[in-house]
Coordinates of all heavy atoms in Angstrom, one line a residue:
A257 N 63.0 46.8 -44.9 CA 61.7 46.2 -44.6 C 61.8 44.7 -44.3 O 61.3 44.2 -43.4 CB 60.6 46.5 -45.7
A258 N 62.7 44.0 -45.2 CA 62.9 42.7 -45.1 C 63.6 42.2 -43.7 O 63.2 41.3 -43.0 CB 63.7 42.0 -46.2
R259 N 64.5 43.1 -43.3 CA 65.3 42.9 -42.1 C 64.3 43.1 -40.9 O 64.4 42.4 -39.9 CB 66.6 43.8 -42.0 CG 67.2 43.6 -40.7 CD 67.8 42.2 -40.7 NE 68.4 41.9 -39.3 CZ 67.7 41.3 -38.3 NH1 66.4 41.0 -38.5 NH2 68.2 41.1 -37.2
L260 N 63.5 44.1 -41.0 CA 62.6 44.4 -39.8 C 61.6 43.4 -39.6 O 61.0 43.2 -38.5 CB 62.0 45.8 -40.0 CG 62.9 47.0 -39.8 CD1 62.1 48.3 -40.2 CD2 63.3 47.2 -38.4
A261 N 61.2 42.6 -40.8 CA 60.3 41.6 -40.7 C 60.7 40.3 -40.0 O 60.0 39.3 -39.7 CB 59.6 41.4 -42.1
E262 N 62.2 40.2 -39.9 CA 62.8 39.0 -39.5 C 62.9 39.0 -37.9 O 62.5 40.0 -37.2 CB 64.1 38.8 -40.1 CG 64.2 38.7 -41.6 CD 65.7 38.7 -42.1 OE1 66.5 39.1 -41.4 OE2 65.7 38.5 -43.3
G263 N 63.3 38.0 -37.4 CA 63.5 37.9 -35.9 C 64.6 38.8 -35.4 O 65.6 38.9 -36.1
H264 N 64.6 39.2 -34.2 CA 65.6 40.0 -33.5 C 66.0 41.2 -34.4 O 67.1 41.5 -34.7 CB 66.9 39.2 -33.2 CG 66.6 38.1 -32.3 ND1 66.1 38.2 -31.0 CD2 66.6 36.8 -32.6 CE1 66.0 36.9 -30.5 NE2 66.3 36.1 -31.4
P265 N 64.9 42.1 -34.8 CA 65.2 43.2 -35.8 C 66.0 44.3 -35.0 O 66.1 44.4 -33.7 CB 63.9 43.7 -36.1 CG 63.0 43.3 -35.0 CD 63.6 42.1 -34.5
P266 N 66.8 45.1 -35.7 CA 67.4 46.4 -35.2 C 66.5 47.2 -34.6 O 65.3 47.4 -35.0 CB 68.2 46.9 -36.3 CG 68.1 46.0 -37.4 CD 66.9 45.1 -37.3
D267 N 66.9 47.9 -33.6 CA 66.0 49.0 -33.0 C 66.5 50.4 -33.0 O 66.0 51.4 -32.6 CB 65.6 48.7 -31.5 CG 66.9 48.5 -30.6 OD1 68.0 48.7 -31.1 OD2 66.7 48.3 -29.5
G268 N 67.7 50.5 -33.7 CA 68.4 51.8 -33.9 C 69.1 51.9 -35.2 O 69.9 50.9 -35.5
F269 N 68.8 52.9 -36.0 CA 69.4 53.0 -37.4 C 70.2 54.3 -37.5 O 69.9 55.4 -37.0 CB 68.2 53.0 -38.4 CG 67.6 51.7 -38.6 CD1 66.7 51.3 -37.8 CD2 68.0 51.0 -39.8 CE1 66.1 50.0 -37.9 CE2 67.4 49.6 -39.9 CZ 66.3 49.2 -39.1
I270 N 71.4 54.2 -38.2 CA 72.2 55.4 -38.6 C 72.3 55.4 -40.0 O 72.7 54.5 -40.7 CB 73.6 55.3 -38.0 CG1 73.5 55.1 -36.4 CG2 74.6 56.4 -38.3 CD1 74.8 54.9 -35.7
C271 N 72.0 56.6 -40.6 CA 71.8 56.8 -42.0 C 72.9 58.0 -42.2 O 72.6 59.1 -41.7 CB 70.6 57.1 -42.6 SG 69.4 55.6 -42.4
G272 N 73.7 58.0 -43.3 CA 74.7 59.0 -43.6 C 74.1 59.8 -44.7 O 74.9 60.9 -45.1
G273 N 72.8 59.8 -44.9 CA 72.3 60.6 -46.0 C 70.7 60.7 -45.8 O 70.1 59.7 -45.2
E274 N 70.1 61.7 -46.3 CA 68.7 61.9 -46.1 C 67.9 61.0 -47.0 O 66.7 60.5 -46.5 CB 68.3 63.4 -46.3 CG 68.9 64.5 -45.4 CD 68.9 65.8 -45.8 OE1 69.3 66.0 -47.1 OE2 68.5 66.7 -45.2
V275 N 68.4 60.6 -48.1 CA 67.6 59.6 -48.9 C 67.5 58.3 -48.2 O 66.4 57.7 -48.2 CB 68.2 59.5 -50.3 CG1 67.7 58.4 -51.2 CG2 68.3 60.8 -51.0
S276 N 68.6 57.8 -47.7 CA 68.6 56.4 -47.0 C 67.7 56.5 -45.8 O 67.0 55.6 -45.4 CB 70.0 55.9 -46.6 OG 70.7 56.9 -45.9
A277 N 67.7 57.7 -45.1 CA 66.9 57.9 -43.8 C 65.3 57.9 -44.2 O 64.5 57.2 -43.5 CB 67.2 59.2 -43.2
M278 N 65.0 58.5 -45.3 CA 63.7 58.5 -45.7 C 63.2 57.1 -46.2 O 62.1 56.6 -45.9 CB 63.4 59.3 -46.9 CG 63.6 60.9 -46.6 SD 62.2 61.5 -45.6 CE 60.9 61.5 -46.8
A279 N 64.2 56.2 -46.8 CA 63.8 54.9 -47.2 C 63.6 54.0 -45.8 O 62.7 53.2 -45.9 CB 64.9 54.4 -47.9
V280 N 64.4 54.3 -44.8 CA 64.2 53.5 -43.5 C 62.8 53.9 -43.0 O 62.1 53.1 -42.5 CB 65.3 53.9 -42.5 CG1 65.0 53.3 -41.1 CG2 66.6 53.3 -43.1
M281 N 62.5 55.2 -43.0 CA 61.1 55.6 -42.5 C 60.0 55.0 -43.2 O 59.0 54.6 -42.6 CB 61.1 57.1 -42.4 CG 62.2 57.8 -41.6 SD 62.0 59.6 -41.7 CE 60.5 60.1 -40.8
S282 N 60.2 54.9 -44.6 CA 59.1 54.3 -45.3 C 59.0 52.8 -45.0 O 57.8 52.3 -44.9 CB 59.4 54.5 -46.9 OG 59.5 55.8 -47.2
A283 N 60.1 52.1 -44.9 CA 60.0 50.6 -44.5 C 59.3 50.5 -43.3 O 58.5 49.6 -43.1 CB 61.5 50.1 -44.5
A284 N 59.6 51.3 -42.2 CA 58.9 51.2 -40.9 C 57.5 51.5 -41.0 O 56.7 50.7 -40.5 CB 59.7 52.1 -39.9
H285 N 57.1 52.4 -41.6 CA 55.8 52.8 -41.9 C 54.9 51.7 -42.5 O 53.8 51.3 -42.1 CB 55.6 54.2 -42.7 CG 54.2 54.5 -42.9 ND1 53.4 54.1 -44.0 CD2 53.3 55.3 -42.1 CE1 52.2 54.7 -43.9 NE2 52.2 55.4 -42.9
D286 N 55.6 51.0 -43.6 CA 54.9 50.0 -44.3 C 54.6 48.8 -43.4 O 53.6 48.1 -43.7 CB 55.7 49.6 -45.5 CG 55.6 50.7 -46.6 OD1 54.9 51.6 -46.5 OD2 56.5 50.6 -47.6
L287 N 55.4 48.7 -42.4 CA 55.2 47.6 -41.6 C 54.4 47.9 -40.3 O 54.2 47.1 -39.4 CB 56.6 47.0 -41.1 CG 57.4 46.2 -42.1 CD1 58.9 46.0 -41.7 CD2 56.8 45.0 -42.7
G288 N 53.9 49.1 -40.2 CA 53.2 49.5 -39.0 C 53.9 49.9 -37.9 O 53.6 49.9 -36.8
L289 N 55.3 50.2 -38.0 CA 56.1 50.5 -36.9 C 56.2 52.0 -36.9 O 56.2 52.7 -37.9 CB 57.5 49.9 -37.2 CG 57.5 48.4 -37.3 CD1 59.0 47.9 -37.7 CD2 57.1 47.7 -36.0
E290 N 56.4 52.5 -35.7 CA 56.6 54.0 -35.5 C 57.9 54.5 -35.0 O 58.5 53.8 -34.1 CB 55.5 54.5 -34.4 CG 55.5 55.9 -34.1 CD 54.4 56.3 -33.2 OE1 53.3 55.6 -33.1 OE2 54.7 57.3 -32.4
I291 N 58.4 55.3 -35.8 CA 59.7 55.9 -35.3 C 59.6 56.6 -34.0 O 58.7 57.5 -33.9 CB 60.3 57.0 -36.4 CG1 60.3 56.3 -37.8 CG2 61.6 57.5 -36.1 CD1 61.5 55.3 -37.9
G292 N 60.6 56.3 -33.2 CA 60.5 56.9 -31.8 C 59.8 56.1 -30.8 O 60.1 56.2 -29.5
R293 N 58.9 55.0 -31.3 CA 58.4 54.1 -30.3 C 59.0 52.7 -30.6 O 59.4 52.2 -29.6 CB 56.9 54.0 -30.6 CG 56.1 53.1 -29.5 CD 54.7 53.0 -30.1 NE 54.6 52.2 -31.4 CZ 53.5 52.0 -32.2 NH1 52.4 52.7 -31.7 NH2 53.6 51.4 -33.2
D294 N 58.8 52.2 -31.8 CA 59.3 50.8 -32.1 C 60.9 50.8 -32.5 O 61.5 49.8 -32.4 CB 58.5 50.2 -33.2 CG 57.0 50.2 -32.8 OD1 56.8 49.6 -31.7 OD2 56.3 50.8 -33.6
L295 N 61.3 51.9 -33.1 CA 62.7 52.0 -33.4 C 63.1 53.5 -33.5 O 62.3 54.3 -33.5 CB 62.9 51.3 -34.8 CG 62.2 51.8 -36.0 CD1 62.9 52.8 -36.8 CD2 61.8 50.6 -36.8
R296 N 64.4 53.8 -33.5 CA 65.0 55.1 -33.5 C 65.8 55.2 -34.7 O 66.4 54.2 -35.2 CB 65.6 55.5 -32.2 CG 64.6 55.5 -31.0 CD 65.4 56.0 -29.7 NE 64.2 56.1 -28.7 CZ 63.5 57.0 -28.4 NH1 63.6 58.2 -29.2 NH2 62.6 57.0 -27.4
L297 N 66.0 56.4 -35.1 CA 66.8 56.8 -36.2 C 67.6 58.1 -36.0 O 67.1 59.1 -35.5 CB 65.9 56.9 -37.4 CG 66.5 57.5 -38.8 CD1 67.6 56.5 -39.3 CD2 65.4 57.6 -39.8
V298 N 68.9 58.0 -36.4 CA 69.8 59.2 -36.4 C 70.3 59.5 -37.9 O 70.8 58.5 -38.4 CB 70.8 59.3 -35.4 CG1 71.7 60.5 -35.6 CG2 70.4 59.2 -34.0
A299 N 70.1 60.5 -38.5 CA 70.4 60.7 -39.9 C 71.3 62.0 -40.0 O 71.3 62.9 -39.2 CB 69.3 60.9 -40.8
K300 N 72.3 62.0 -40.9 CA 73.0 63.1 -41.3 C 72.1 64.1 -42.1 O 71.5 63.7 -43.1 CB 74.2 62.7 -42.1 CG 75.2 64.0 -42.6 CD 76.2 63.7 -43.5 CE 77.3 62.7 -42.8 NZ 78.5 62.6 -43.7
Q301 N 72.0 65.3 -41.7 CA 71.1 66.3 -42.3 C 72.0 67.3 -43.1 O 72.9 68.0 -42.5 CB 70.2 67.0 -41.4 CG 69.2 68.0 -42.0 CD 68.2 68.5 -41.1 OE1 68.2 68.1 -39.9 NE2 67.4 69.3 -41.5
T302 N 71.7 67.5 -44.5 CA 72.5 68.5 -45.3 C 71.4 69.5 -45.9 O 72.0 70.4 -46.6 CB 73.2 67.7 -46.3 OG1 72.3 67.0 -47.1 CG2 74.3 66.9 -45.8
S303 N 70.2 69.4 -45.6 CA 69.1 70.3 -46.2 C 68.1 70.6 -45.2 O 68.4 70.1 -44.0 CB 68.5 69.7 -47.5 OG 67.6 68.6 -47.1
G304 N 67.1 71.3 -45.5 CA 66.0 71.5 -44.6 C 64.9 70.6 -44.6 O 63.8 70.8 -44.0
L305 N 65.1 69.4 -45.3 CA 64.2 68.4 -45.6 C 63.5 68.0 -44.2 O 62.2 68.0 -44.0 CB 64.6 67.2 -46.4 CG 63.6 66.1 -46.5 CD1 62.5 66.4 -47.3 CD2 64.4 64.9 -47.1
F306 N 64.3 67.5 -43.3 CA 63.7 66.9 -42.1 C 63.1 67.9 -41.1 O 62.4 67.5 -40.1 CB 64.9 66.1 -41.3 CG 65.2 64.7 -42.1 CD1 66.3 64.4 -42.5 CD2 64.1 63.9 -42.1 CE1 66.5 63.2 -43.1 CE2 64.2 62.7 -42.8 CZ 65.5 62.3 -43.3
D307 N 63.2 69.2 -41.4 CA 62.6 70.2 -40.5 C 61.1 70.1 -40.8 O 60.3 70.5 -39.9 CB 63.0 71.6 -40.9 CG 64.5 71.8 -40.5 OD1 65.0 71.0 -39.7 OD2 65.1 72.8 -41.1
Q308 N 60.7 69.6 -41.9 CA 59.3 69.5 -42.3 C 58.7 68.1 -42.2 O 57.6 67.8 -42.5 CB 59.1 69.9 -43.7 CG 59.7 71.3 -44.0 CD 59.2 72.3 -43.2 OE1 58.1 72.4 -42.6 NE2 60.0 73.3 -42.7
V309 N 59.6 67.2 -41.7 CA 59.0 65.7 -41.6 C 58.5 65.4 -40.2 O 59.2 65.7 -39.2 CB 60.2 64.7 -41.9 CG1 60.0 63.3 -41.7 CG2 60.6 64.8 -43.5
R310 N 57.4 64.7 -40.2 CA 56.9 64.1 -38.9 C 56.6 62.7 -38.9 O 56.3 62.2 -40.0 CB 55.5 64.9 -38.6 CG 55.7 66.4 -38.5 CD 56.6 66.9 -37.3 NE 56.5 68.3 -37.1 CZ 57.5 69.1 -37.8 NH1 58.3 68.5 -38.6 NH2 57.4 70.4 -37.6
P311 N 56.9 61.9 -37.9 CA 57.5 62.3 -36.7 C 58.9 62.8 -36.9 O 59.7 62.4 -37.7 CB 57.4 61.1 -35.8 CG 57.5 60.0 -36.8 CD 56.8 60.4 -38.0
R312 N 59.3 63.7 -36.0 CA 60.7 64.3 -36.1 C 61.7 63.1 -35.7 O 61.4 62.3 -34.9 CB 60.9 65.4 -35.0 CG 60.2 66.7 -35.5 CD 60.6 67.8 -34.6 NE 60.1 69.1 -35.1 CZ 60.7 69.9 -36.0 NH1 61.8 69.5 -36.6 NH2 60.1 71.2 -36.3
I313 N 62.9 63.3 -36.4 CA 63.9 62.3 -36.1 C 65.2 63.0 -35.7 O 65.3 64.2 -35.9 CB 64.2 61.5 -37.3 CG1 64.8 62.2 -38.4 CG2 63.0 60.6 -37.7 CD1 65.3 61.4 -39.6
E314 N 66.0 62.4 -35.0 CA 67.3 63.1 -34.7 C 68.2 63.1 -35.9 O 68.3 62.2 -36.6 CB 68.0 62.2 -33.6 CG 67.4 62.4 -32.1 CD 68.4 62.1 -31.2 OE1 69.4 62.8 -31.0 OE2 68.0 61.2 -30.4
T315 N 68.8 64.3 -36.0 CA 69.8 64.6 -37.1 C 71.0 65.1 -36.5 O 71.1 65.8 -35.5 CB 69.0 65.5 -38.1 OG1 68.8 66.8 -37.5 CG2 67.9 64.9 -38.8
I316 N 72.1 65.1 -37.3 CA 73.5 65.7 -37.1 C 73.7 66.5 -38.4 O 73.8 65.8 -39.5 CB 74.5 64.7 -36.8 CG1 74.1 64.1 -35.3 CG2 75.8 65.5 -36.6 CD1 75.1 63.0 -35.0
Y317 N 74.1 67.7 -38.4 CA 74.1 68.5 -39.5 C 75.5 68.7 -40.1 O 76.5 68.6 -39.4 CB 73.6 70.0 -39.2 CG 73.6 70.9 -40.3 CD1 72.8 70.7 -41.4 CD2 74.5 72.1 -40.3 CE1 72.6 71.6 -42.4 CE2 74.3 73.0 -41.4 CZ 73.5 72.8 -42.4 OH 73.4 73.6 -43.5
E318 N 75.6 68.5 -41.4 CA 76.9 68.8 -42.1 C 76.6 70.0 -43.1 O 75.7 70.0 -44.0 CB 77.2 67.6 -43.1 CG 78.5 67.9 -43.8 CD 79.0 66.8 -44.7 OE1 78.2 65.6 -44.7 OE2 80.0 66.8 -45.3
D319 N 77.5 71.0 -43.0 CA 77.2 72.3 -43.7 C 78.1 72.2 -45.0 O 79.3 72.4 -45.0 CB 77.7 73.5 -42.9 CG 77.3 74.7 -43.5 OD1 77.0 74.9 -44.6 OD2 77.2 75.7 -42.7
L320 N 77.4 71.7 -46.1 CA 78.1 71.6 -47.3 C 78.4 72.9 -48.0 O 79.3 73.1 -48.7 CB 77.3 70.8 -48.2 CG 77.0 69.3 -48.0 CD1 76.1 68.7 -48.8 CD2 78.3 68.6 -47.9
S321 N 77.5 73.9 -47.8 CA 77.9 75.2 -48.2 C 79.1 75.8 -47.7 O 79.9 76.3 -48.4 CB 76.7 76.3 -48.0 OG 77.0 77.5 -48.6
E322 N 79.3 75.6 -46.4 CA 80.6 76.1 -45.8 C 81.8 75.2 -46.3 O 82.8 75.8 -46.5 CB 80.5 75.8 -44.2 CG 81.7 76.2 -43.5 CD 82.1 77.6 -43.5 OE1 81.5 78.4 -44.0 OE2 83.4 77.8 -43.2
A323 N 81.6 74.0 -46.6 CA 82.7 73.1 -47.0 C 83.1 73.6 -48.5 O 84.3 73.7 -48.8 CB 82.2 71.7 -47.2

Side-chain angles (χ1 to χ4, degrees):
R259 181 63 191 91
L260 288 172
E262 296 173 354
H264 304 292
D267 56 1
F269 288 79
I270 298 174
C271 296
E274 290 160 318
V275 173
S276 58
M278 292 292 290
V280 170
M281 295 178 73
S282 296
H285 179 271
D286 291 347
L287 293 171
L289 303 175
E290 183 178 324
I291 302 292
R293 184 193 66 193
D294 303 301
L295 57 96
R296 295 183 180 275
L297 170 65
V298 177
K300 182 187 290 186
Q301 182 170 359
T302 55
S303 73
L305 174 66
F306 282 120
D307 294 339
Q308 310 304 324
V309 170
R310 301 295 183 272
R312 286 189 176 276
I313 65 168
E314 284 202 63
T315 61
I316 297 175
Y317 185 62
E318 178 179 2
D319 192 339
L320 293 174
S321 182
E322 173 62 13

